[in-house]
Amino acid sequence: MWSKLRVKLKSFITEELRNRIDIHLTRYHDAHDGYGEIWITLDEKKIFGGGYYHWYMTPVPDELLNSFQLKHGFHKDFYKVNIESKNVEEIMRYGVHETSHILINLDNYINTSFSESLTSNNPIYKAFSLIDRRLGRRRFEGITLSDDEHPLVKIFYKLRQDCFK
């Protein structure tokens, strides 16, 4: 199933970047729970990732983890195109992602309208919409990023900007 998703995701990436960006998923079979991680590489260097253990080992301010669902990473907003919870939005901006957050959002990205993904406040949808082959120059030139955008969004924006030069 992962191989098919990976191939489908790569088919959405603009041709100029398709061979430079890759998505990886692994399971740690020797770990007692079998959890793993997912990461994205650019020119074979890791630029983004997350995993079960990342979630619990990365320090996040306690005031953001004010519910059981937030503390354990399964709040429903982690999987939505448009995040409603300010806490979830802030946690994602910190760069803290559990494997399922990334994997499920990437799987859903394929079936989400391009316009909705491009205007999303979920950094995974927004980042991938910036390198999507359906994004043309004229529409790209109308995009402005805020200073507090997620690092992956900024990286993919710069990559796409370079494609249009």
Short mmCIF file of all heavy atoms in Angstrom, two decimals, residues 25-28 31-38 49-58 71-74 79 96-102:
data_model
loop_
_atom_site.label_atom_id
_atom_site.label_comp_id
_atom_site.label_asym_id
_atom_site.label_seq_id
_atom_site.Cartn_x
_atom_site.Cartn_y
_atom_site.Cartn_z
N LEU A 25 9.28 5.79 4.21
CA LEU A 25 8.56 5.27 5.38
C LEU A 25 9.25 4.01 5.84
O LEU A 25 9.63 3.17 5.02
CB LEU A 25 7.10 4.96 5.02
CG LEU A 25 6.24 4.32 6.09
CD1 LEU A 25 5.95 5.32 7.21
CD2 LEU A 25 4.94 3.80 5.50
N THR A 26 9.43 3.89 7.14
CA THR A 26 10.03 2.67 7.67
C THR A 26 9.36 2.29 8.98
O THR A 26 8.77 3.14 9.66
CB THR A 26 11.56 2.83 7.88
OG1 THR A 26 12.11 1.55 8.17
CG2 THR A 26 11.87 3.79 9.01
N ARG A 27 9.46 1.04 9.30
CA ARG A 27 9.00 0.51 10.59
C ARG A 27 10.23 -0.07 11.28
O ARG A 27 11.07 -0.70 10.64
CB ARG A 27 7.97 -0.60 10.41
CG ARG A 27 6.70 -0.13 9.80
CD ARG A 27 5.79 0.43 10.86
NE ARG A 27 4.59 0.97 10.25
CZ ARG A 27 4.00 2.07 10.67
NH1 ARG A 27 4.49 2.73 11.68
NH2 ARG A 27 2.92 2.49 10.11
N TYR A 28 10.31 0.15 12.58
CA TYR A 28 11.42 -0.41 13.35
C TYR A 28 10.95 -1.74 13.91
O TYR A 28 10.33 -1.81 14.96
CB TYR A 28 11.86 0.56 14.46
CG TYR A 28 12.33 1.87 13.91
CD1 TYR A 28 11.79 3.07 14.32
CD2 TYR A 28 13.35 1.90 12.95
CE1 TYR A 28 12.23 4.27 13.79
CE2 TYR A 28 13.79 3.09 12.43
CZ TYR A 28 13.23 4.28 12.86
OH TYR A 28 13.67 5.46 12.33
N ALA A 31 11.87 -2.74 17.43
CA ALA A 31 11.28 -1.98 18.53
C ALA A 31 10.13 -2.78 19.11
O ALA A 31 9.44 -3.51 18.40
CB ALA A 31 10.79 -0.62 18.05
N HIS A 32 9.90 -2.64 20.39
CA HIS A 32 8.87 -3.45 21.05
C HIS A 32 7.48 -3.21 20.48
O HIS A 32 6.62 -4.07 20.53
CB HIS A 32 8.88 -3.18 22.57
CG HIS A 32 8.33 -1.85 22.95
ND1 HIS A 32 9.04 -0.67 22.76
CD2 HIS A 32 7.15 -1.50 23.48
CE1 HIS A 32 8.31 0.33 23.18
NE2 HIS A 32 7.16 -0.13 23.62
N ASP A 33 7.24 -2.02 19.92
CA ASP A 33 5.92 -1.70 19.40
C ASP A 33 5.88 -1.64 17.88
O ASP A 33 4.83 -1.45 17.28
CB ASP A 33 5.42 -0.38 19.99
CG ASP A 33 6.46 0.72 19.88
OD1 ASP A 33 7.41 0.57 19.09
OD2 ASP A 33 6.33 1.72 20.60
N GLY A 34 7.02 -1.77 17.22
CA GLY A 34 7.07 -1.79 15.76
C GLY A 34 6.85 -0.45 15.08
O GLY A 34 6.72 -0.39 13.87
N TYR A 35 6.79 0.63 15.86
CA TYR A 35 6.59 1.94 15.26
C TYR A 35 7.80 2.36 14.46
O TYR A 35 8.90 1.89 14.68
CB TYR A 35 6.30 3.01 16.33
CG TYR A 35 4.91 2.91 16.91
CD1 TYR A 35 4.72 2.60 18.24
CD2 TYR A 35 3.79 3.13 16.11
CE1 TYR A 35 3.45 2.51 18.78
CE2 TYR A 35 2.51 3.03 16.64
CZ TYR A 35 2.35 2.73 17.98
OH TYR A 35 1.09 2.64 18.50
N GLY A 36 7.60 3.29 13.55
CA GLY A 36 8.69 3.76 12.71
C GLY A 36 8.61 5.25 12.50
O GLY A 36 8.18 5.98 13.38
N GLU A 37 9.03 5.66 11.32
CA GLU A 37 8.99 7.08 11.01
C GLU A 37 8.81 7.29 9.52
O GLU A 37 8.97 6.37 8.73
CB GLU A 37 10.23 7.81 11.51
CG GLU A 37 11.53 7.42 10.84
CD GLU A 37 12.71 8.19 11.38
OE1 GLU A 37 12.70 9.44 11.33
OE2 GLU A 37 13.65 7.55 11.86
N ILE A 38 8.48 8.52 9.17
CA ILE A 38 8.32 8.92 7.78
C ILE A 38 9.14 10.20 7.60
O ILE A 38 9.21 11.02 8.51
CB ILE A 38 6.83 9.12 7.43
CG1 ILE A 38 6.65 9.40 5.94
CG2 ILE A 38 6.19 10.18 8.30
CD1 ILE A 38 5.20 9.30 5.47
N GLY A 49 10.40 15.35 8.67
CA GLY A 49 10.01 14.01 9.08
C GLY A 49 9.29 14.01 10.39
O GLY A 49 9.12 15.04 11.05
N GLY A 50 8.87 12.83 10.76
CA GLY A 50 8.19 12.66 12.02
C GLY A 50 8.02 11.20 12.32
O GLY A 50 8.20 10.34 11.46
N GLY A 51 7.68 10.94 13.54
CA GLY A 51 7.47 9.57 13.95
C GLY A 51 6.91 9.51 15.36
O GLY A 51 6.84 10.52 16.07
N TYR A 52 6.52 8.34 15.74
CA TYR A 52 5.95 8.12 17.06
C TYR A 52 6.90 8.60 18.16
O TYR A 52 6.51 9.30 19.07
CB TYR A 52 5.64 6.63 17.22
CG TYR A 52 5.12 6.25 18.57
CD1 TYR A 52 3.79 6.44 18.90
CD2 TYR A 52 5.96 5.68 19.53
CE1 TYR A 52 3.30 6.09 20.15
CE2 TYR A 52 5.49 5.32 20.77
CZ TYR A 52 4.16 5.54 21.09
OH TYR A 52 3.69 5.19 22.32
N TYR A 53 8.14 8.22 18.04
CA TYR A 53 9.11 8.59 19.08
C TYR A 53 9.46 10.07 19.02
O TYR A 53 9.72 10.69 20.04
CB TYR A 53 10.37 7.72 18.99
CG TYR A 53 10.05 6.27 19.25
CD1 TYR A 53 10.16 5.33 18.24
CD2 TYR A 53 9.61 5.86 20.50
CE1 TYR A 53 9.83 4.00 18.48
CE2 TYR A 53 9.27 4.54 20.73
CZ TYR A 53 9.39 3.61 19.72
OH TYR A 53 9.06 2.31 19.96
N HIS A 54 9.44 10.66 17.83
CA HIS A 54 9.66 12.10 17.71
C HIS A 54 8.59 12.85 18.50
O HIS A 54 8.88 13.85 19.14
CB HIS A 54 9.58 12.56 16.24
CG HIS A 54 10.60 11.95 15.36
ND1 HIS A 54 11.62 12.66 14.81
CD2 HIS A 54 10.76 10.68 14.93
CE1 HIS A 54 12.36 11.87 14.07
NE2 HIS A 54 11.86 10.66 14.12
N TRP A 55 7.38 12.36 18.38
CA TRP A 55 6.25 13.01 19.04
C TRP A 55 6.48 13.10 20.55
O TRP A 55 6.27 14.15 21.15
CB TRP A 55 4.96 12.24 18.75
CG TRP A 55 3.79 12.84 19.45
CD1 TRP A 55 3.23 12.44 20.62
CD2 TRP A 55 3.07 14.00 19.04
NE1 TRP A 55 2.21 13.27 20.97
CE2 TRP A 55 2.08 14.24 20.01
CE3 TRP A 55 3.17 14.87 17.96
CZ2 TRP A 55 1.20 15.30 19.92
CZ3 TRP A 55 2.29 15.91 17.87
CH2 TRP A 55 1.31 16.13 18.85
N TYR A 56 6.91 12.03 21.15
CA TYR A 56 7.07 12.01 22.60
C TYR A 56 8.40 12.58 23.09
O TYR A 56 8.53 12.90 24.26
CB TYR A 56 6.86 10.59 23.14
CG TYR A 56 5.41 10.21 23.12
CD1 TYR A 56 4.92 9.33 22.16
CD2 TYR A 56 4.51 10.75 24.03
CE1 TYR A 56 3.57 8.99 22.13
CE2 TYR A 56 3.17 10.43 23.99
CZ TYR A 56 2.70 9.56 23.04
OH TYR A 56 1.37 9.25 23.01
N MET A 57 9.38 12.70 22.22
CA MET A 57 10.70 13.18 22.65
C MET A 57 10.93 14.67 22.37
O MET A 57 11.84 15.26 22.92
CB MET A 57 11.80 12.36 21.96
CG MET A 57 11.76 10.88 22.31
SD MET A 57 11.74 10.53 24.08
CE MET A 57 13.37 11.06 24.54
N THR A 58 10.13 15.28 21.51
CA THR A 58 10.32 16.69 21.19
C THR A 58 9.59 17.54 22.21
O THR A 58 8.40 17.35 22.44
CB THR A 58 9.78 17.00 19.78
OG1 THR A 58 10.39 16.10 18.85
CG2 THR A 58 10.06 18.43 19.38
N LYS A 71 -2.13 15.74 23.87
CA LYS A 71 -0.94 15.19 24.51
C LYS A 71 -0.44 13.93 23.80
O LYS A 71 0.75 13.69 23.69
CB LYS A 71 -1.22 14.89 25.98
CG LYS A 71 -0.01 14.48 26.75
CD LYS A 71 -0.28 14.40 28.22
CE LYS A 71 1.02 14.08 28.93
NZ LYS A 71 1.07 14.60 30.26
N HIS A 72 -1.37 13.13 23.30
CA HIS A 72 -1.00 11.87 22.67
C HIS A 72 -1.09 11.90 21.14
O HIS A 72 -0.94 10.87 20.48
CB HIS A 72 -1.83 10.73 23.25
CG HIS A 72 -1.55 10.54 24.71
ND1 HIS A 72 -0.38 9.99 25.17
CD2 HIS A 72 -2.26 10.91 25.81
CE1 HIS A 72 -0.39 9.99 26.50
NE2 HIS A 72 -1.51 10.56 26.90
N GLY A 73 -1.32 13.10 20.58
CA GLY A 73 -1.22 13.28 19.14
C GLY A 73 -2.33 12.73 18.29
O GLY A 73 -2.14 12.55 17.09
N PHE A 74 -3.50 12.46 18.87
CA PHE A 74 -4.56 11.94 18.00
C PHE A 74 -5.79 12.85 17.96
O PHE A 74 -6.89 12.41 17.67
CB PHE A 74 -4.94 10.49 18.35
CG PHE A 74 -5.38 10.25 19.76
CD1 PHE A 74 -6.68 10.46 20.15
CD2 PHE A 74 -4.47 9.79 20.71
CE1 PHE A 74 -7.09 10.23 21.44
CE2 PHE A 74 -4.87 9.55 22.00
CZ PHE A 74 -6.19 9.77 22.38
N TYR A 79 -5.42 15.75 11.23
CA TYR A 79 -5.70 15.05 9.98
C TYR A 79 -6.60 15.84 9.03
O TYR A 79 -7.00 15.33 8.00
CB TYR A 79 -6.33 13.69 10.28
CG TYR A 79 -5.51 12.90 11.27
CD1 TYR A 79 -5.85 12.87 12.62
CD2 TYR A 79 -4.36 12.23 10.86
CE1 TYR A 79 -5.07 12.17 13.53
CE2 TYR A 79 -3.58 11.53 11.77
CZ TYR A 79 -3.95 11.50 13.10
OH TYR A 79 -3.17 10.81 14.00
N VAL A 96 6.57 19.29 15.04
CA VAL A 96 6.36 18.02 15.73
C VAL A 96 5.24 17.26 15.01
O VAL A 96 4.12 17.74 14.93
CB VAL A 96 5.98 18.24 17.22
CG1 VAL A 96 5.82 16.91 17.92
CG2 VAL A 96 7.02 19.10 17.90
N HIS A 97 5.59 16.09 14.47
CA HIS A 97 4.63 15.30 13.72
C HIS A 97 4.80 13.83 14.07
O HIS A 97 5.91 13.34 14.15
CB HIS A 97 4.83 15.47 12.22
CG HIS A 97 4.73 16.88 11.77
ND1 HIS A 97 3.54 17.48 11.49
CD2 HIS A 97 5.69 17.82 11.57
CE1 HIS A 97 3.77 18.73 11.13
NE2 HIS A 97 5.06 18.95 11.18
N GLU A 98 3.70 13.17 14.24
CA GLU A 98 3.68 11.73 14.46
C GLU A 98 3.55 11.08 13.08
O GLU A 98 3.07 11.70 12.14
CB GLU A 98 2.47 11.39 15.35
CG GLU A 98 2.64 10.16 16.19
CD GLU A 98 2.20 8.88 15.50
OE1 GLU A 98 1.54 8.92 14.47
OE2 GLU A 98 2.56 7.82 16.01
N THR A 99 4.00 9.87 12.93
CA THR A 99 3.97 9.18 11.64
C THR A 99 2.60 9.26 10.99
O THR A 99 2.48 9.59 9.81
CB THR A 99 4.37 7.69 11.81
OG1 THR A 99 5.60 7.61 12.51
CG2 THR A 99 4.51 7.00 10.46
N SER A 100 1.56 8.97 11.75
CA SER A 100 0.22 8.95 11.17
C SER A 100 -0.23 10.33 10.70
O SER A 100 -0.98 10.44 9.74
CB SER A 100 -0.79 8.38 12.16
OG SER A 100 -0.95 9.24 13.28
N HIS A 101 0.22 11.41 11.36
CA HIS A 101 -0.15 12.76 10.92
C HIS A 101 0.30 12.96 9.48
O HIS A 101 -0.46 13.45 8.64
CB HIS A 101 0.53 13.84 11.77
CG HIS A 101 0.18 13.81 13.21
ND1 HIS A 101 0.90 14.52 14.12
CD2 HIS A 101 -0.77 13.17 13.90
CE1 HIS A 101 0.41 14.33 15.33
NE2 HIS A 101 -0.61 13.49 15.21
N ILE A 102 1.52 12.61 9.20
CA ILE A 102 2.08 12.83 7.87
C ILE A 102 1.48 11.85 6.87
O ILE A 102 1.02 12.24 5.80
CB ILE A 102 3.62 12.71 7.90
CG1 ILE A 102 4.20 13.75 8.86
CG2 ILE A 102 4.20 12.88 6.49
CD1 ILE A 102 5.66 13.55 9.19
#
